[in-house]
Amino acid sequence: MTQNLQNYESLKPLFNPQSIAILGASESPYKIGHLQIRALIDGKFKGDIIPIHRTAKEIAGLTCYPSLADVPGEVDLVIFCLGLEQIKEGLEACAAKNVKAAIIFASGFSEAGAYGEQLQQELGQFAKTHGIRIVGPNCVGLVNTENGLIGTFTPSFLTVPLDGQRGVGYISQSGAFGVLTYMAAAQHGINFNYFVSTGNEMESSFEDFMEYMVHDPQTNIISGYLEGAKNPEKLKALSKESLQKNKPILLMKTGKSSAGSRAAASHTGSLAGSDKIYDAFFKQHGIIRAEDFDDVIGFTKLFNPNKLPKGNNTVIITSSGGRGINEADRCEAHGLNIVELSAETQAAIQKSLPDYASTTNPVDLTAAAMVSNPEFYLEPLKVLVNDPEVHNIIFTDFPYAWDENSPQLQEFIELSKASDKVIGLFPFPLDGMTYPKATKALVENGIAVVPCNLNPVRALKKLVEYSEAYRQSSITSLADYRQPHAVLDDLLVSGETLSEAQASEVLARYDIPTTERRIATSLEEAVEHATAIGYPVVLKIDSPDIPHKTEADAIRLNVQTPEEVSQAYVEIVKNARSYNPEARVHGVSVQEMLGEGVEIIIGAHNDSTFGPVIMVGLGGIFVEVFQDIAFKVAPINRQDALNLLDELKGKSILHGARGKTPIDTEAIVDVLLKVSALMIDHGEQIQELDINPLVVYEKGIRAADAMLVVKEQQVIRQAMEG
Amino acid sequence: MTQNLQNYESLKPLFNPQSIAILGASESPYKIGHLQIRALIDGKFKGDIIPIHRTAKEIAGLTCYPSLADVPGEVDLVIFCLGLEQIKEGLEACAAKNVKAAIIFASGFSEAGAYGEQLQQELGQFAKTHGIRIVGPNCVGLVNTENGLIGTFTPSFLTVPLDGQRGVGYISQSGAFGVLTYMAAAQHGINFNYFVSTGNEMESSFEDFMEYMVHDPQTNIISGYLEGAKNPEKLKALSKESLQKNKPILLMKTGKSSAGSRAAASHTGSLAGSDKIYDAFFKQHGIIRAEDFDDVIGFTKLFNPNKLPKGNNTVIITSSGGRGINEADRCEAHGLNIVELSAETQAAIQKSLPDYASTTNPVDLTAAAMVSNPEFYLEPLKVLVNDPEVHNIIFTDFPYAWDENSPQLQEFIELSKASDKVIGLFPFPLDGMTYPKATKALVENGIAVVPCNLNPVRALKKLVEYSEAYRQSSITSLADYRQPHAVLDDLLVSGETLSEAQASEVLARYDIPTTERRIATSLEEAVEHATAIGYPVVLKIDSPDIPHKTEADAIRLNVQTPEEVSQAYVEIVKNARSYNPEARVHGVSVQEMLGEGVEIIIGAHNDSTFGPVIMVGLGGIFVEVFQDIAFKVAPINRQDALNLLDELKGKSILHGARGKTPIDTEAIVDVLLKVSALMIDHGEQIQELDINPLVVYEKGIRAADAMLVVKEQQVIRQAMEG
């Protein structure tokens, strides 16, 4: 916590400087060193602007100084309008002057090859040593619209209106996309309080700026454009803190598609990680994923009135049947429920509407409402605000007749203000035609007005998800990570693929139920083991070098008699030899034959971004053909484990599809938590683990086979150094 | 064909009248009867406007006549600005004056109850008898922007610019949604040639107007908003004709969601049909489904340059890495392939770009292209137009510097014009900021400019699909509907659910391979049959009243000996009795026990909109848990049958997933075509048919069980009358 506030305090000079010096100030109106000064002046920066110029006395009416050292008072922030080769000298001057913050636009650093990479590391280290917080390099800069700090040479920021709603802190790993989003939001009435283009993150990272905003009282929503998380642990801690403060984190993570990942990797050099794991991580920690720039606008508008939706049940009120159906299609496509209204509610609505209006959801007031009977818009609202089954109310249009002075509009607003339901107007996007005269009054009174092509329905669904995450965070945590811990050093040999028996031993040490198995190294021993275990049995080759036993024809199921055991033993050894003459063979594993149950797969691997990741899927063909799997980042708690199962498309199989008895999902949860504990304890050594199949019964569970690959020591060392 | 042109010719007075009379013309500027006259004047209608008013001499400067009969010359079109009760008289006057077309706005007809329904039928019949083509009632009207016929009282049509691209004929079953789409398109530079709000379709239907546009030389794209198809046969014929003329049909079909269907049903009273069947029907006949209003705009802009994409392979060119990734995500989400560029192509692009630009797809020109090096935009284009692996080229932005006089812009345009690839600019939607100065020149020269929030990527995917359908339509048809035909009258008893043996007999008559089966009515007979068929056998109760034999415990598999047959027979008869003492039992069916194969399900049912529909799915749990099924409307041809299989998510199972041998898909196709023939021959009698499971082998196929429900005679009669 102290650590956290330290970051916040030390970033203050960057966001809230009293004085800004411009290194590389220029008299030429087309140069960055001039554009930057103009931007601060035009942005009405509330503090001193100090151009540094060797010879000029004055630029744009401001007194110049020949060097930083010559500036009489303190300088909080320095903006570098300098090229690559002058950055070092500039930073040294900052250190000498005790400057605590800098913005660096220059490119040519880590994005441009080895020389730039080296220089960036050096300068980053220098800045850290001298306590200088830095935005950039290779960035568009930083903007604080609260104090007029337009810390960027891009004049676009000043071309959009500044009279919109506030509260959003926005951080972008893409300069251009960030600027475009800032401007689009402003054109739609949302002004970001802060805009940060993080660039190469030489000293301060995406997560550092997030942390600032989590602690900043003026930020209500933290949003951003993320290409790759560099510090997922910090992201996780921040998301928890932010959720407790009811500050949604809304991130657009690009590189969803394979091509996108390709570009993301080459664009920033951050390890992009698999998109599915990002999805899992975001969901686990209550981070809302923006699908596109418009989600930032829609979500903010819907969140601002400070009413968190109680659920998915949504009612559409329209004057056009067609628009109503269209909006209903959109709602259901995004997972909102167009709730069937109760007979009482319908009757109550019907009372004050003509017969030809439709009181089913979508409620169709008919064109008369728009043209001659604006009061129709009030009637269903009066009823719906009192229906506990209704969580969200969407209007597709609004009466032309109501302006800010209409008593009916006032009544509409009073009804809305008194209600805890989310109320939105999602009009068709026709400039100056379909928006109501009283839009301003509606917005000021907590009714979100978002044109339907900005996807407000999708944003509403995201707000529902956020509300759910927020509620879950405020109830007592169900987390329970206490699990057995075990020493595995004897088993986890660098670079090895463990034999089935070894992998099963790993599971057994974590109390995961496995089949009874004994290794036979002779025919006689095999028969002995089979008799001890009890018929029928299974025989399999046990070799770290033959992970795919079926392929090697080195497995026999349902072996019934001593004679069959002998025959199976001979065949298995022979087939294994001919499959791989070099294979190290520990013997033949004699195992109990498991009864029929539902086969699932539980796996784990080490993700390059997020570390240990847990996977669950339905077994066999379901994984292979339908890819019906779900992921969570370890460690997972009980709720995570339940959510994992709930995310499977074929989950009904667990709950007894086709008239079968439900299987022991508690046993699956137990294994998931144990695998999570195993991966947290030994994830640095384990490359990947597959328990496949894991057979689940009405009561109980058994791992029938397992595969475990140990990381190569070198890889581990590199990872620890990296 | 003659029939078709008759419809076209007779609709001409509606679309291209020389003279229009207004019934209900009014002197009051707020009444519809005045607004309509003003709309025609302001729309600069190229013909005579004749107000009919009992007393007034002149309205809006136009000479009035007291009645239609008093008008001296011919009247082509009459617009009814009259209420419900005056329509009949008006139509009689039309008939007397030999008027051939009318627009009727009035509501209160079939949408309002029995009285209106009755009146509508009467008047519709009257109009048909007298050859009067009608738009409406309960509609917004008809607009022809070519001759200034603003046949509507809604002045909105005149508030949008009229200088856009043309060629779209638009027909809407929702008045309001249609108007909004018309206006949004105009704001984005697309002016519909025709706009028709069909209303209750008293005399002319949605399909009639489509047919007009198929034959109209000025229409290049037929688009519309459909709530429910009333004449799918006609839609099918029109789609074929339209495809042959390379006129895309682009329909938005609402009511996708369950709530949407609910609303659609109550909104127009048309039978909405299952959305999945609409999807299947559209796909089968090359009709493109618009997801939302913006698809109409995006598709039109992309289609207008008259270059049909050769495929899915798409390249993105950008000056912002972030925008590039974002666009790549969008492309892959909609099924466009972000093609990996070949080493040669990359090398060729690299030659003229700086090192820091990225030549992988998305091609990232970097911000330098936008700011200082606009020529970067030309270089990759020069290479890509010659790469046969590239089908579509998307720019996310464009140099600020190029205006219409730039030689570089001219070169860009020349390259684009000479190429058969689709080239589009999908800029970020910031008014007056992100659109290039030369937008007009680009559009005029066949480069589609569509803001990225109008979903041009989705529209491009739809254009790819259209092109594919168009190409398929122009190659020799693979259709082969010739199939066995059989008499089934003895089996299809009204309202019956057939016994398995009866249903199997139906299949057998259509040469669909079934299992060998014999009905035993005594224990001795059962043993005899088993011996004749050969062990092992299956025994099942054969009763039309026990369709679910497993539930009744009246089925025994893998019966191995005469003793087992006797025991099974006794148990089955006993269990069936106790399960349903009233059941009519034909006996016990003794069948050959089929070997293991891949189980699929083939079904058919009678859709309320489309008639016989064929379904295929993977068997058992795949159907029930994953709902992995696909539909086509009968009759289907060979290509349809192959497409059906291709639409299954688990199709890899057919082709030998998990190292298994591929199964006999030809045999599945054969059964599908035979079921199609069966449903075309006897669909009027068959309510539903399930062949489940149908066991498919490496070679061959066998129906193991079948269920068939015969429609109730009454239902058939109603259907024939209706």
Side-chain angles (χ1 to χ4, degrees):
Chain A
M1 199 57 173
T2 327
Q3 175 62 31
N4 283 352
L5 283 181
Q6 214 168 40
N7 176 64
Y8 173 64
E9 291 297 336
S10 66
L11 279 173
K12 271 189 177 169
L14 199 49
F15 286 92
N16 278 300
Q18 299 303 310
S19 54
I20 304 176
I22 318 299
L23 284 183
S26 170
E27 292 173 295
S28 156
Y30 301 108
K31 293 223 162 156
I32 287 176
H34 193 89
L35 290 169
Q36 174 60 80
I37 294 170
R38 278 250 66 94
L40 288 169
I41 294 170
D42 295 346
K44 302 193 175 59
F45 171 61
K46 293 173 186 152
D48 299 332
I49 310 169
I50 309 157
I52 307 295
H53 194 283
R54 245 178 253 289
T55 54
K57 288 266 177 295
E58 208 186 88
I59 293 179
L62 299 167
T63 307
C64 293
Y65 293 89
S67 76
L68 256 190
D70 294 316
V71 177
E74 277 186 23
V75 174
D76 292 332
L77 169 64
V78 169
I79 302 183
F80 284 61
C81 299
L82 298 173
L84 178 77
E85 297 301 345
Q86 299 164 280
I87 305 297
K88 190 175 175 190
E89 196 187 330
L91 275 177
E92 285 164 357
C94 285
K97 179 75 183 166
N98 200 25
V99 171
K100 291 302 177 199
I103 296 173
I104 303 176
F105 305 128
S107 58
F109 287 93
S110 67
E111 82 283 7
Y115 170 76
E117 170 80 49
Q118 170 72 27
L119 182 60
Q120 182 176 315
Q121 279 200 16
E122 235 173 67
L123 298 184
Q125 197 48 57
F126 180 86
K128 278 177 188 157
T129 309
H130 293 85
I132 306 172
R133 304 305 307 259
I134 292 178
V135 176
N138 189 27
C139 76
V140 168
L142 179 148
V143 168
N144 179 351
T145 56
E146 297 294 320
N147 64 354
L149 163 51
I150 311 294
T152 172
F153 54 91
T154 312
S156 327
F157 284 89
L158 294 162
T159 59
V160 287
L162 252 175
D163 54 355
Q165 291 179 277
R166 305 183 147 269
V168 178
Y170 190 85
I171 313 159
S172 182
Q173 284 185 338
S174 162
F177 200 90
V179 174
L180 291 170
T181 303
Y182 175 97
M183 291 167 72
Q187 284 197 344
H188 285 282
I190 301 291
N191 291 111
F192 298 160
N193 296 42
Y194 310 120
F195 167 89
V196 187
S197 158
T198 65
N200 291 4
E201 307 182 15
M202 174 163 100
E203 182 279 331
S204 291
S205 69
F206 190 91
E207 291 86 353
D208 287 335
F209 296 116
M210 278 187 70
E211 190 177 333
Y212 180 84
M213 292 172 191
V214 169
H215 295 141
D216 173 63
Q218 293 192 296
T219 305
N220 304 326
I221 294 176
I222 298 160
S223 186
Y225 176 104
L226 181 68
E227 292 190 336
K230 280 166 191 145
N231 192 347
E233 272 306 315
K234 186 158 183 180
L235 201 52
K236 183 172 147 183
L238 287 174
S239 66
K240 198 175 166 186
E241 202 177 339
S242 200
L243 205 52
Q244 280 163 351
K245 294 185 172 179
N246 190 14
K247 282 191 189 189
I249 298 177
L250 179 71
L251 299 182
M252 182 166 164
K253 163 71 182 72
T254 50
K256 281 187 134 177
S257 59
S258 52
S261 303
R262 225 153 63 210
S266 68
H267 187 56
T268 61
S270 60
L271 284 161
S274 154
D275 189 71
K276 276 190 179 173
I277 314 293
Y278 270 99
D279 244 0
F281 180 83
F282 280 15
K283 225 179 267 173
Q284 247 173 302
H285 302 297
I287 297 172
I288 303 303
R289 185 162 188 171
E291 309 283 329
D292 215 327
F293 73 95
D294 46 13
D295 276 344
V296 182
I297 302 169
F299 186 94
T300 302
K301 287 181 177 247
L302 287 162
F303 177 78
N304 271 346
N306 209 14
K307 295 175 185 177
L308 291 184
K310 299 265 182 306
N312 250 333
N313 288 353
T314 305
V315 176
I316 295 166
I317 301 175
T318 186
S319 74
S320 150
R323 272 283 281 130
I325 301 166
N326 182 230
E327 210 63 20
D329 279 356
R330 285 198 184 112
C331 283
E332 297 211 349
H334 288 103
L336 290 175
N337 179 37
I338 300 300
V339 60
E340 288 212 55
L341 298 177
S342 69
E344 299 78 54
T345 292
Q346 290 201 42
I349 294 175
Q350 187 66 76
K351 265 189 203 166
S352 39
L353 290 181
D355 281 352
Y356 50 84
S358 161
T359 60
T360 57
N361 186 8
V363 177
D364 183 357
L365 309 173
T366 79
M370 181 71 85
V371 180
S372 52
N373 298 77
E375 73 280 6
F376 288 180
Y377 284 86
L378 273 172
E379 302 304 334
L381 190 62
K382 286 183 196 162
V383 178
L384 293 170
V385 290
N386 294 317
D387 184 337
E389 292 301 302
V390 172
H391 306 128
N392 314 296
I393 302 170
I394 295 173
F395 288 83
T396 69
D397 39 55
F398 213 68
Y400 292 136
W402 289 356
D403 62 23
E404 279 162 49
N405 304 315
S406 312
Q408 287 175 338
L409 182 81
Q410 289 311 320
E411 196 179 347
F412 187 93
I413 284 174
E414 290 312 318
L415 279 169
S416 165
K417 279 166 85 172
S419 167
D420 61 353
K421 300 181 199 306
V422 172
I423 299 179
L425 166 60
F426 300 169
F428 201 88
L430 288 173
D431 295 340
M433 294 184 197
T434 44
Y435 300 89
K437 287 181 203 146
T439 295
K440 200 158 166 280
L442 292 175
V443 172
E444 280 168 1
N445 287 287
I447 297 148
V449 179
V450 198
C452 72
N453 67 330
L454 276 187
N455 249 317
V457 159
R458 188 170 70 190
L460 176 56
K461 175 63 183 176
K462 288 182 189 294
L463 187 61
V464 170
E465 284 167 359
Y466 170 75
S467 308
E468 188 53 37
Y470 176 66
R471 272 190 296 274
Q472 282 199 9
S473 78
S474 37
I475 57 175
T476 315
S477 173
L478 289 171
D480 184 1
Y481 305 112
R482 278 164 304 148
Q483 290 296 338
H485 300 288
V487 174
L488 301 176
D489 293 348
D490 53 326
L491 290 164
L492 302 182
V493 180
S494 161
E496 278 290 347
T497 296
L498 301 195
S499 77
E500 182 189 333
Q502 291 166 324
S504 295
E505 174 62 21
V506 169
L507 300 184
R509 290 197 196 164
Y510 272 81
D511 283 353
I512 295 167
T514 58
T515 52
E516 190 182 350
R517 82 186 64 220
R518 300 175 185 202
I519 303 294
T521 52
S522 71
L523 200 150
E524 296 71 27
E525 219 182 343
V527 174
E528 265 169 45
H529 289 343
T531 311
I533 289 166
Y535 289 97
V537 293
V538 173
L539 273 75
K540 302 175 182 173
I541 197 73
D542 193 63
S543 162
D545 303 318
I546 308 179
H548 301 294
K549 297 175 276 279
T550 308
E551 201 180 285
D553 195 15
I555 178 167
R556 292 288 179 276
L557 302 174
N558 201 19
V559 181
Q560 307 257 5
T561 62
E563 293 70 41
E564 285 183 21
V565 168
S566 308
Q567 195 191 340
Y569 183 91
V570 172
E571 286 173 9
I572 284 172
V573 171
K574 190 175 141 242
N575 291 346
R577 285 259 157 77
S578 84
Y579 178 75
N580 180 356
E582 308 292 309
R584 293 159 299 168
V585 171
H586 299 157
V588 171
S589 172
V590 183
Q591 305 175 18
E592 64 174 317
M593 171 87 185
L594 289 178
E596 230 183 278
V598 172
E599 296 191 356
I600 68 166
I601 171 170
I602 287 181
H605 77 278
N606 243 295
D607 183 78
S608 52
T609 302
F610 292 103
V613 169
I614 311 296
M615 184 205 84
V616 69
L618 292 170
I621 209 150
F622 296 103
V623 170
E624 293 179 33
V625 175
F626 289 96
Q627 272 146 28
D628 189 12
I629 47 180
F631 295 96
K632 295 266 175 232
V633 177
I636 61 170
N637 60 26
R638 204 183 127 66
Q639 188 57 49
D640 290 330
L642 290 169
N643 291 346
L644 266 175
L645 299 183
D646 200 51
E647 287 166 23
L648 295 176
K649 285 176 235 131
K651 63 185 166 186
S652 63
I653 291 171
L654 310 175
H655 306 306
R658 309 186 85 201
K660 290 192 176 161
T661 339
I663 58 167
D664 193 345
T665 45
E666 273 306 316
I668 307 178
V669 167
D670 182 62
V671 173
L672 283 167
L673 294 177
K674 285 168 174 168
V675 170
S676 170
L678 162 65
M679 290 304 288
I680 291 299
D681 290 351
H682 302 283
E684 279 179 12
Q685 286 163 279
I686 298 172
Q687 184 68 41
E688 45 183 315
L689 164 71
D690 261 9
I691 313 178
N692 182 22
L694 184 65
V695 188
V696 195
Y697 301 98
E698 214 176 305
K699 194 75 215 158
I701 196 164
R702 297 291 276 284
D705 202 343
M707 206 264 288
L708 193 157
V709 183
V710 186
K711 275 192 197 168
E712 286 219 42
Q713 208 61 39
Q714 210 186 353
V715 177
I716 298 174
R717 234 179 275 123
Q718 280 178 351
M720 290 174 95
E721 284 163 5
Chain B
M1 199 59 171
T2 328
Q3 175 64 29
N4 284 353
L5 283 181
Q6 213 168 42
N7 176 64
Y8 173 64
E9 292 296 337
S10 67
L11 280 173
K12 271 188 176 168
L14 199 48
F15 286 91
N16 278 300
Q18 299 303 313
S19 55
I20 304 176
I22 318 299
L23 283 184
S26 170
E27 291 171 295
S28 157
Y30 301 107
K31 293 223 162 155
I32 288 176
H34 194 89
L35 290 168
Q36 173 60 78
I37 293 169
R38 278 251 65 92
L40 288 169
I41 295 170
D42 295 345
K44 302 192 174 62
F45 171 62
K46 295 172 187 155
D48 298 330
I49 310 169
I50 309 156
I52 306 296
H53 193 284
R54 243 177 253 289
T55 54
K57 288 267 177 300
E58 207 185 86
I59 293 177
L62 299 167
T63 308
C64 293
Y65 293 88
S67 77
L68 256 189
D70 294 316
V71 178
E74 278 186 24
V75 173
D76 292 332
L77 168 64
V78 170
I79 303 182
F80 283 61
C81 298
L82 298 173
L84 179 77
E85 298 301 346
Q86 298 164 282
I87 305 298
K88 190 176 174 187
E89 197 187 333
L91 275 177
E92 285 164 356
C94 287
K97 179 77 183 167
N98 199 25
V99 171
K100 290 302 176 200
I103 297 172
I104 304 175
F105 306 127
S107 58
F109 287 92
S110 67
E111 82 282 8
Y115 169 76
E117 170 78 49
Q118 170 72 26
L119 182 60
Q120 182 176 316
Q121 281 199 17
E122 235 174 67
L123 298 185
Q125 198 46 59
F126 180 86
K128 279 177 187 155
T129 310
H130 292 85
I132 307 172
R133 304 305 307 257
I134 292 178
V135 177
N138 189 27
C139 76
V140 169
L142 179 148
V143 168
N144 179 351
T145 56
E146 297 294 321
N147 64 354
L149 163 51
I150 310 295
T152 171
F153 53 91
T154 313
S156 327
F157 284 89
L158 294 162
T159 60
V160 287
L162 253 174
D163 55 354
Q165 292 179 277
R166 305 185 146 266
V168 178
Y170 190 85
I171 312 159
S172 182
Q173 284 185 338
S174 162
F177 200 90
V179 175
L180 292 169
T181 303
Y182 175 96
M183 291 168 72
Q187 284 196 344
H188 286 282
I190 301 290
N191 291 111
F192 298 160
N193 296 42
Y194 310 120
F195 167 88
V196 187
S197 157
T198 66
N200 291 3
E201 308 183 12
M202 174 163 102
E203 182 277 330
S204 291
S205 68
F206 190 92
E207 291 86 352
D208 287 335
F209 296 116
M210 279 188 70
E211 188 176 333
Y212 180 83
M213 292 173 191
V214 169
H215 295 141
D216 173 63
Q218 293 190 296
T219 305
N220 305 325
I221 295 177
I222 299 160
S223 186
Y225 175 104
L226 181 68
E227 293 191 334
K230 282 170 189 142
N231 192 345
E233 272 306 315
K234 185 158 184 180
L235 202 51
K236 182 172 147 184
L238 287 174
S239 65
K240 197 173 168 187
E241 200 177 340
S242 201
L243 205 52
Q244 280 162 351
K245 294 184 173 181
N246 189 14
K247 282 191 189 188
I249 297 177
L250 178 71
L251 299 182
M252 182 166 164
K253 163 70 182 73
T254 50
K256 280 187 137 178
S257 60
S258 52
S261 303
R262 224 152 63 211
S266 68
H267 188 57
T268 61
S270 61
L271 284 162
S274 154
D275 189 70
K276 278 190 178 172
I277 312 294
Y278 270 98
D279 245 1
F281 180 83
F282 280 14
K283 225 179 267 171
Q284 246 173 302
H285 301 297
I287 296 171
I288 303 303
R289 186 162 187 172
E291 309 284 329
D292 215 329
F293 74 94
D294 46 13
D295 276 344
V296 182
I297 303 169
F299 186 94
T300 302
K301 287 182 177 244
L302 286 162
F303 177 79
N304 270 347
N306 209 13
K307 296 174 184 178
L308 290 185
K310 300 264 183 304
N312 250 331
N313 287 353
T314 304
V315 177
I316 295 166
I317 301 174
T318 186
S319 75
S320 151
R323 272 282 281 132
I325 300 166
N326 182 231
E327 209 62 22
D329 280 355
R330 285 200 185 109
C331 282
E332 296 210 348
H334 287 104
L336 290 175
N337 179 37
I338 300 300
V339 60
E340 288 211 55
L341 298 177
S342 68
E344 298 78 55
T345 292
Q346 289 201 43
I349 294 175
Q350 187 67 75
K351 265 188 201 163
S352 37
L353 290 182
D355 281 351
Y356 52 83
S358 160
T359 60
T360 57
N361 185 10
V363 177
D364 183 357
L365 308 173
T366 79
M370 181 71 85
V371 180
S372 52
N373 297 78
E375 73 279 7
F376 289 179
Y377 283 86
L378 273 173
E379 302 303 334
L381 190 62
K382 286 182 195 162
V383 179
L384 293 170
V385 290
N386 294 318
D387 185 336
E389 292 301 303
V390 172
H391 306 128
N392 313 296
I393 302 170
I394 296 173
F395 289 83
T396 69
D397 39 54
F398 214 68
Y400 292 136
W402 290 355
D403 62 21
E404 278 161 49
N405 304 316
S406 312
Q408 286 175 339
L409 181 82
Q410 289 311 318
E411 198 180 345
F412 187 94
I413 285 175
E414 291 312 318
L415 279 169
S416 165
K417 279 166 84 173
S419 167
D420 60 353
K421 300 182 199 307
V422 173
I423 299 179
L425 165 60
F426 299 169
F428 201 88
L430 288 173
D431 294 341
M433 294 184 195
T434 43
Y435 299 89
K437 288 181 203 145
T439 295
K440 200 158 167 279
L442 292 176
V443 171
E444 280 168 1
N445 287 286
I447 297 149
V449 179
V450 198
C452 71
N453 68 331
L454 275 188
N455 248 317
V457 159
R458 188 171 70 189
L460 176 55
K461 175 63 184 176
K462 288 182 188 295
L463 187 61
V464 170
E465 284 167 358
Y466 171 74
S467 309
E468 187 52 36
Y470 177 65
R471 274 190 295 275
Q472 281 199 11
S473 78
S474 37
I475 58 176
T476 315
S477 172
L478 289 171
D480 185 359
Y481 304 111
R482 279 164 303 148
Q483 290 295 340
H485 300 288
V487 174
L488 302 176
D489 293 347
D490 52 327
L491 291 164
L492 302 182
V493 181
S494 161
E496 279 290 346
T497 296
L498 301 194
S499 78
E500 182 189 334
Q502 292 167 324
S504 295
E505 173 63 20
V506 169
L507 300 184
R509 290 196 196 165
Y510 273 80
D511 282 352
I512 295 167
T514 59
T515 52
E516 189 182 351
R517 83 184 64 220
R518 300 175 186 202
I519 302 294
T521 52
S522 72
L523 202 148
E524 296 72 30
E525 215 182 347
V527 175
E528 265 170 44
H529 289 344
T531 311
I533 289 166
Y535 288 97
V537 293
V538 173
L539 273 75
K540 301 175 182 172
I541 197 73
D542 192 64
S543 163
D545 302 319
I546 308 179
H548 302 292
K549 296 176 276 279
T550 307
E551 203 179 283
D553 194 16
I555 179 166
R556 292 289 179 275
L557 303 174
N558 200 21
V559 180
Q560 305 257 4
T561 62
E563 293 71 39
E564 284 181 24
V565 169
S566 306
Q567 196 191 339
Y569 183 91
V570 172
E571 285 172 11
I572 284 171
V573 171
K574 190 175 139 239
N575 291 347
R577 285 260 157 76
S578 84
Y579 178 76
N580 180 357
E582 309 291 308
R584 291 159 298 168
V585 171
H586 299 157
V588 171
S589 172
V590 182
Q591 305 175 16
E592 64 173 319
M593 170 89 184
L594 289 178
E596 230 185 277
V598 172
E599 295 191 357
I600 68 166
I601 171 170
I602 287 181
H605 77 278
N606 243 294
D607 183 78
S608 52
T609 302
F610 293 104
V613 168
I614 310 297
M615 185 205 82
V616 70
L618 292 169
I621 209 149
F622 296 105
V623 170
E624 292 178 33
V625 176
F626 291 97
Q627 272 146 27
D628 189 12
I629 47 179
F631 295 96
K632 297 266 174 230
V633 176
I636 60 171
N637 60 26
R638 203 182 127 69
Q639 188 58 48
D640 290 329
L642 289 169
N643 291 346
L644 265 175
L645 299 183
D646 200 52
E647 286 166 24
L648 296 176
K649 286 177 234 129
K651 62 184 166 185
S652 63
I653 291 171
L654 310 176
H655 306 307
R658 310 186 85 201
K660 290 192 177 160
T661 339
I663 59 166
D664 194 344
T665 44
E666 274 305 317
I668 307 177
V669 168
D670 182 62
V671 173
L672 283 168
L673 294 177
K674 285 169 174 168
V675 170
S676 170
L678 162 65
M679 290 303 288
I680 290 301
D681 289 351
H682 303 282
E684 278 178 14
Q685 286 161 281
I686 298 173
Q687 184 65 43
E688 44 182 318
L689 165 70
D690 261 11
I691 313 179
N692 181 23
L694 183 66
V695 188
V696 195
Y697 301 98
E698 215 177 303
K699 195 72 215 159
I701 196 163
R702 297 290 276 284
D705 201 342
M707 206 264 289
L708 194 155
V709 182
V710 186
K711 274 193 198 167
E712 287 219 41
Q713 208 60 42
Q714 210 186 354
V715 178
I716 300 174
R717 232 180 275 124
Q718 279 178 352
M720 292 176 92
E721 282 164 6

